[in-house]
Amino acid sequence: MENSQIKPANFEERVHPEFKDIYVTIPKNMKAFEEDKIPEKRQFVNAFLAALEKPPIDNLDVSTRTIPDPEGAPEISVKIFKPKESGSEKLPGILWIHGGGFIFGNADSSSWPITLADQGKCVSVVLDYRLAPEYPY
């Protein structure tokens, strides 16, 4: 199903039941995630994050792979950072799930996976999960 075909309900209806008691205590002017503003806010957040300086990747092999979804939803992309000099050596791994409250961000949102792979001599796998509210929970 394409994102444009999904018509999300009121945002408050999408808040997970365990968090509703907390959500209702937030002042109205602090609820920045009104449905009609999400595309505009995503654009702003993504532009801001893209402008941040990222560490060099000269010492890393970088690849992107996709994971199919059994339900026919769009594939999920993963970005993999691995130290070049490791060759076929087995390394520890880190699964990085970017921040953004499940509404914002992407696999390029953070420099931490790059730094960890380079300085920590490990493999960083960055999950580029589908975002809410188009894909709840």
Side-chain angles (χ1 to χ4, degrees):
M1 181 179 276
E2 289 184 31
N3 290 351
S4 62
Q5 295 175 336
I6 299 171
K7 300 292 183 200
N10 175 299
F11 186 79
E12 194 163 337
E13 294 171 15
R14 293 259 185 189
V15 175
H16 192 279
E18 292 179 18
F19 298 106
K20 283 197 180 204
D21 289 342
I22 296 169
Y23 182 81
V24 296
T25 66
I26 301 171
K28 282 276 187 205
N29 62 351
M30 296 294 289
K31 294 179 182 171
F33 307 123
E34 299 302 324
E35 293 283 338
D36 60 337
K37 305 277 189 208
I38 289 175
E40 177 184 317
K41 289 179 187 287
R42 275 189 189 145
Q43 186 176 12
F44 172 79
V45 168
N46 289 340
F48 173 78
L49 294 171
L52 296 176
E53 188 175 340
K54 299 281 192 283
I57 57 171
D58 302 338
N59 299 329
L60 302 173
D61 287 324
V62 182
S63 61
T64 302
R65 297 187 186 165
T66 56
I67 301 170
D69 185 286
E71 298 297 321
E75 295 178 327
I76 296 174
S77 176
V78 293
K79 195 174 252 189
I80 303 165
F81 299 94
K82 180 182 177 188
K84 284 184 179 177
E85 79 275 356
S86 64
S88 61
E89 176 187 358
K90 290 185 179 182
L91 298 173
I94 294 175
L95 174 61
W96 187 267
I97 301 173
H98 67 79
F102 301 104
I103 296 172
F104 301 107
N106 56 48
D108 297 318
S109 297
S110 176
S111 62
W112 275 107
I114 298 167
T115 302
L116 291 169
D118 187 29
Q119 295 179 15
K121 305 301 180 216
C122 65
V123 177
S124 287
V125 178
V126 185
L127 180 66
D128 200 8
Y129 59 83
R130 293 184 295 269
L131 302 174
E134 294 89 349
Y135 300 98
Y137 312 115

